[in-house]
């Protein structure tokens, strides 16, 4: 039975494809989506293609085309699956030129995340969206909108054309400081599909915008209002009460937020996975206890610089509860925490992977001994400025937690070469921070450079970043050995180490000091990154001396570890690191290492 012909939606194939493809700007093959929430898994994947498939009714001419071209017989689902493998917008544009069927099934992929990285591209996109006689309703195809690349130019007028886009799922306006409540609210009104909103750095935003979110975005899963300092509990409580599917919440530096907001989140958002309260200084014990007790799915909790927190925030957690999901806990500069709180944390969260206790100056070896119970689960540990930690505690930590990849012990002044020799036996160690550990000497550096004798195959060191600033006893010989033994090394900080910063020939390989540094900081600054590490290694090998044959034959054999752990097969989950460079300023103690849950 012959099928009834479908009226042509498009003109001739050539004119159709040219018009359609020209309406969407070219996207570079390497383009990355910088949405804060895009890095998270599967919670809000865009339903590309599936919801917009069109029933294909073939005309007699199309029937003849199918007989001639076998690929034309492929159903839309398979065509879309093939098109999703294309990484370049130019390739998708070419697909749109092939035929009407290919055009219909590739346009969604080309437009679901329009590239707005230049002003010209933005104008092209907005022109197509507003075009009344376009071949497609482009405004309905946009699912992800990221304007952060133009953050200094975007204002309320710039976003006005996108008011027509009511199917946006991810909206990223990071750093668009010229936007006001009026512009952001206009985008949010009627956006029932919105799943993730990032307005980091928009300090003019007030409760007006967050009320609009609570009234329009019932499906919201991710909200990032970092540095939105004018937002208060009034709107955040409303968001918590109406957006029950919230999973990720970042409130960094929202100084007006109090326990009321966090209690509302704990009470109304049972699916919460990650919450960041960095520098929310009005937060107290009661809200943290409630958040942990009711957030049974919580994977990540960051409460750094919440100075009002005390041991009771964790001691008041009901004894019968355990939190198997919690993987990341950041307690930076929670000065009132003591060993008893750390012990309770380890009891209730036995599968912690990343633990940050930097600047918790009251903790001692007792806390470290409790942390050893995490065993193979522990990948990242930050104990910078924990001044009471000793070599004995580090030795115990290494023996029990042999999957540690990143460790920071900056300013732990009691530590000696013995601690570093133990750390050198960690088979997965990639980054180590020893800034201002002034008791360590070249013995420590040679231990890091020496291959682990427990390895059946003498594999090269995995070390990628080593922070040794202000370790004033180090010499050129030790660092030279480290460079030659660590082929993956991409960052080496030696600020304040006289053997380096006083030698002009070596400083020439350093990166530039940050512009805000004082004259003294510039004088002692000595950080090698990227190609600078390779150039330093080459220079030392060519112009100084070869240490390969003698660097370990120094009578230290008896001092090296005699009780090293046996490392089995390591099936550790990879950690996604943003590789932020430390600026080596001030106490130079911290480097950012973001772990993946």
């Amino acid at each position: 039975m012959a099928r009834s012909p479908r009226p042509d939606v498009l003109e001739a194939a050539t004119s159709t494809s040219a018009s359609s493809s020209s309406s969407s700007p070219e996207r570079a093959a390497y383009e990355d989506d910088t949405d804060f929430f895009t890095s998270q898994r599967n919670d809000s994947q865009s339903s590309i293609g599936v919801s917009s498939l069109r029933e294909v009714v073939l005309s007699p001419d199309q029937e003849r085309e199918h007989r001639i071209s076998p690929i034309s017989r492929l159903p839309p689902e398979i065509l879309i699956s093939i098109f999703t493998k294309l990484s370049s917008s130019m390739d998708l544009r070419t697909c749109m030129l092939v035929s009407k069927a290919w055009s219909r099934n590739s346009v969604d992929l080309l437009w679901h995340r329009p590239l707005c990285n230049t002003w010209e591209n933005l104008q092209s996109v907005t022109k197509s969206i507003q075009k009344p006689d376009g071949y497609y309703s482009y405004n309905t195809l946009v699912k992800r909108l990221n304007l952060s690349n133009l953050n200094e130019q975007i204002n309320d007028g710039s976003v006005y054309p996108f008011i027509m886009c009511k199917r946006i799922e991810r909206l990223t306006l990071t750093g668009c400081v010229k936007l006001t409540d009026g512009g952001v609210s206009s985008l949010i009104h009627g956006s029932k599909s919105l799943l993730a909103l990032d307005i980091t750095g928009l300090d003019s935003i007030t409760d007006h915008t967050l009320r609009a979110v609570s009234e329009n975005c019932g499906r919201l899963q991710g909200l990032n209002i970092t540095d939105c300092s004018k937002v208060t509990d009034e709107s955040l409580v409303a968001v918590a009460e109406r957006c029950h599917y919230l999973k990720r919440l970042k409130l960094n530096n929202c100084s007006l937020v109090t326990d009321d907001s966090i209690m509302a989140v704990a009470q109304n958002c049972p699916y919460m996975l990650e919450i960041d309260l960095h520098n929310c200084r009005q937060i107290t014990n009661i809200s943290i206890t409630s958040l942990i007790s009711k957030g049974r799915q919580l994977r990540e909790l960051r409460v750094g610089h919440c100075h009002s927190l005390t041991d009771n925030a964790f001691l008041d957690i009901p004894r019968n509860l355990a939190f198997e999901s919690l993987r990341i806990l950041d307690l930076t500069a929670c000065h009132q925490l003591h060993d008893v709180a750390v012990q309770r944390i380890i009891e209730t969260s036995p599968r912690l992977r990343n633990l940050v206790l930097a600047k918790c100056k009251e903790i001692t070896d007792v806390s470290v001994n409790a942390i050893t119970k995490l065993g193979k689960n522990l990948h990242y540990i930050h104990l910078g400025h924990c001044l009471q930690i000793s070599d004995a505690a580090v030795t115990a930590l290494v023996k029990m937690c042999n999957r540690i990849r990143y460790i920071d012990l900056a300013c732990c002044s009691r530590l000696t070469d013995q601690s570093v020799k133990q750390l050198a036996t960690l088979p997965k160690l990639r980054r180590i921070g020893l800034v201002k550990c002034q008791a360590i000497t070249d013995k420590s550096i040679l231990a890091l450079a020496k291959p682990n004798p427990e390895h059946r195959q003498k594999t090269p060191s995995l070390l990628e970043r080593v922070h040794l600033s202000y370790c004033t006893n180090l010499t050129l010989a030790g660092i030279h050995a480290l460079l030659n033994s660590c082929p993956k090394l991409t960052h080496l900080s030696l600020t304040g180490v006289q053997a380096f910063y006083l030698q002009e020939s070596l400083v020439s390989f350093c990166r530039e000091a940050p512009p805000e540094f004082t004259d003294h900081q510039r004088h002692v600054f000595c950080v090698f990154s990227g190609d600078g590490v390779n150039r330093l290694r080459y220079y030392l090998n060519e112009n100084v001396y070869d240490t390969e044959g003698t660097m370990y034959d120094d009578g230290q054999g008896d001092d090296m570890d005699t009780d090293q752990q046996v490392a089995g097969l390591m099936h550790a989950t990879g950690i996604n690191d943003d590789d932020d460079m430390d600026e080596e300023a001030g106490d130079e103690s911290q480097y950012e290492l973001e772990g993946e849950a």
Side-chain angles (χ1 to χ4, degrees):
M1 179 175 177
R3 298 181 181 177
S4 58
R6 171 181 174 145
D8 285 339
V9 179
L10 308 178
E11 298 290 337
T14 303
S15 62
T16 299
S17 303
S19 174
S20 301
S21 58
S22 64
S23 338
S24 179
E26 178 182 348
R27 190 192 339 264
Y30 56 81
E31 191 264 322
D32 271 330
D33 190 339
T34 57
D35 289 358
F36 168 77
F37 298 100
T38 305
S39 62
Q40 313 299 339
R41 298 182 181 176
N42 74 22
D43 299 316
S44 50
Q45 294 296 319
S46 178
S47 52
I48 299 172
V50 177
S51 62
S52 60
L53 291 179
R54 299 168 175 83
E55 181 181 359
V56 179
V57 181
L58 302 179
S59 66
D61 289 341
Q62 291 172 321
E63 293 280 8
R64 285 193 295 272
E65 179 186 350
H66 279 213
R67 287 194 293 271
I68 296 171
S69 175
I71 199 171
S72 300
R73 301 192 190 106
L74 291 176
E77 292 85 349
I78 294 180
L79 281 176
I80 291 173
S81 179
I82 294 172
F83 293 153
T84 57
K85 307 299 182 183
L86 302 177
S87 59
S88 168
S89 293
M90 282 302 296
D91 292 339
L92 285 171
R93 177 182 180 275
T94 302
C95 290
M96 289 186 66
L97 295 171
V98 172
S99 68
K100 297 175 183 178
W102 280 38
S103 177
R104 285 193 297 267
N105 292 306
S106 60
V107 66
D108 282 7
L109 297 171
L110 192 61
W111 270 88
H112 88 283
R113 189 179 62 188
L115 183 63
C116 299
N117 62 338
T118 67
W119 193 254
E120 291 73 19
N121 281 354
L122 179 64
Q123 289 179 318
S124 176
V125 169
T126 55
K127 180 180 178 181
S128 299
I129 287 174
Q130 297 178 97
K131 196 172 183 180
D133 56 347
Y135 291 116
Y136 297 101
S137 299
Y138 296 110
N139 60 299
T140 65
L141 302 178
V142 178
K143 301 291 184 64
R144 299 185 182 184
L145 181 61
N146 187 343
L147 302 179
S148 58
N149 287 320
L150 299 173
N151 53 15
E152 295 182 357
Q153 299 169 271
I154 296 296
N155 56 31
D156 290 347
S158 307
V159 302
Y160 178 78
F162 293 104
I163 294 175
M164 303 170 60
C165 302
K166 297 303 182 186
R167 297 181 63 189
I168 293 177
E169 297 176 352
R170 299 180 186 270
L171 178 60
T172 303
L173 303 171
T174 305
C176 298
V177 294
K178 294 181 181 179
L179 285 175
T180 67
D181 282 326
V184 180
S185 297
S186 65
L187 290 174
I188 292 172
H189 280 297
S191 296
K192 304 296 183 183
S193 300
L194 193 65
L195 300 175
L197 174 64
D198 188 343
I199 51 175
T200 297
L202 276 63
D203 56 3
S204 64
I205 295 300
T206 69
D207 288 334
H208 177 79
T209 295
L210 271 294
R211 280 195 295 268
V213 170
S214 68
E215 294 167 1
N216 292 273
C217 309
R219 297 175 58 197
L220 193 71
Q221 295 180 10
L223 177 63
N224 187 350
I225 58 170
T226 296
D227 294 325
C228 295
S229 56
K230 296 179 181 177
V231 173
T232 72
D233 290 332
E234 177 191 348
S235 59
L236 281 173
V237 170
V239 169
E241 291 177 345
R242 298 188 182 186
C243 302
H244 299 292
Y245 299 104
L246 264 180
K247 295 183 177 181
R248 298 179 175 90
L249 181 62
K250 289 181 71 71
L251 304 177
N252 305 36
N253 301 317
C254 292
S255 56
L256 300 180
V257 173
T258 72
D259 288 334
D260 291 343
S261 294
I262 309 308
M263 294 288 285
V265 169
Q267 186 69 34
N268 297 286
C269 303
Y271 307 109
M272 186 62 64
L273 299 176
E274 301 168 11
I275 185 165
D276 193 338
L277 303 174
H278 176 84
N279 208 31
C280 295
R281 301 198 176 193
Q282 296 193 54
I283 300 300
T284 67
N285 293 338
I286 185 173
S287 59
I288 299 303
T289 302
S290 178
L291 189 64
I292 296 175
S293 300
K294 296 181 180 179
R296 305 306 300 275
Q297 299 184 47
L298 195 65
R299 293 197 310 233
E300 179 175 336
L301 175 62
R302 299 181 184 272
V303 290
H305 296 275
C306 294
H307 299 315
S308 297
L309 297 185
T310 70
D311 296 337
N312 289 333
F314 303 97
L315 296 180
D316 291 344
I317 296 173
R319 286 283 173 183
N320 60 332
L321 296 183
F323 306 96
E324 297 286 341
S325 298
L326 192 61
R327 296 290 186 274
I328 300 175
L329 180 61
D330 186 346
L331 299 168
T332 299
C334 292
H335 302 304
Q336 300 186 61
L337 294 185
H338 297 78
D339 292 330
V340 64
V342 176
Q343 290 174 314
R344 181 71 180 125
I345 289 168
I346 302 304
E347 289 175 6
T348 58
S349 308
R351 300 186 66 186
L352 273 174
R353 179 175 296 164
N354 291 20
L355 179 59
V356 182
L357 295 169
K359 300 183 180 179
C360 295
K361 298 183 179 181
E362 299 298 324
I363 70 171
T364 69
D365 285 359
V366 174
S367 291
V368 180
N369 288 329
I371 293 170
T372 62
K373 296 178 182 178
L374 295 175
K376 64 181 181 180
N377 293 315
L378 187 65
H379 288 182
Y380 171 94
I381 179 72
H382 197 324
L383 297 169
H385 291 265
C386 296
L387 306 179
Q388 302 183 58
I389 293 176
S390 70
D391 287 335
V394 174
T395 299
L397 184 67
V398 170
K399 289 181 178 179
M400 298 300 294
C401 305
N402 62 2
R403 291 192 181 183
I404 292 176
R405 297 182 176 194
Y406 308 155
I407 186 166
D408 195 325
L409 297 165
C411 300
C412 293
S413 54
R414 295 181 61 190
L415 300 185
T416 68
D417 290 329
Q418 186 59 37
S419 287
V420 184
K421 290 175 183 178
Q422 294 290 335
L423 292 169
T425 67
L426 291 170
K428 293 289 185 178
L429 188 64
R430 294 182 180 181
R431 311 195 176 188
I432 184 169
L434 297 169
V435 173
K436 289 189 177 179
C437 291
Q438 297 182 343
I440 70 171
T441 68
D442 279 352
K443 293 180 182 180
S444 293
I445 308 309
L446 295 175
L448 290 172
K450 189 173 183 178
N452 190 337
E454 295 295 339
H455 287 186
R456 292 184 179 180
Q457 297 179 347
K458 296 298 187 292
T459 56
S461 170
L462 298 178
L463 278 174
E464 298 171 359
R465 291 174 68 110
V466 180
H467 298 253
L468 299 168
S469 293
Y470 297 103
C471 295
T472 53
N473 294 321
L474 303 185
T475 68
L476 187 62
I479 300 301
H480 188 189
L482 183 69
L483 286 166
N484 283 332
S485 301
C486 302
K488 295 186 177 182
L489 197 65
T490 60
H491 184 96
L492 177 62
S493 65
L494 294 165
T495 296
V497 179
Q498 291 187 1
F500 279 81
Y501 78 80
L502 292 179
Q503 297 196 40
E504 291 296 331
S505 59
L506 302 181
V507 173
S508 63
F509 305 118
C510 292
R511 60 184 175 94
E512 291 293 327
E516 65 272 15
F517 272 22
T518 64
D519 289 340
H520 172 70
Q521 288 174 327
R522 289 176 177 277
H523 176 63
V524 300
F525 183 82
C526 191
V527 177
F528 304 92
S529 296
D531 188 54
V533 175
N534 297 326
R535 291 165 58 204
L536 176 64
R537 181 189 294 116
Y538 178 82
Y539 176 84
L540 292 177
N541 288 338
E542 292 293 318
N543 297 283
V544 186
Y545 47 82
D546 181 10
T547 59
E548 185 175 356
T550 61
M551 64 181 179
Y552 305 121
D553 188 15
D554 57 357
Q556 306 304 327
D558 294 336
D559 294 334
M560 302 299 284
D561 296 303
T562 58
D563 187 22
Q564 300 184 11
Q565 76 279 22
V566 177
L569 295 175
M570 300 299 177
H571 298 291
T573 302
I575 294 179
N576 182 20
D577 180 20
D578 292 334
D579 204 29
D580 294 336
M581 294 188 179
D582 60 309
E583 297 299 343
E584 303 295 329
D587 61 17
E588 307 183 50
S589 62
Q590 299 187 45
Y591 49 97
E592 298 295 331
L593 301 170
E594 294 298 331
E596 185 180 77

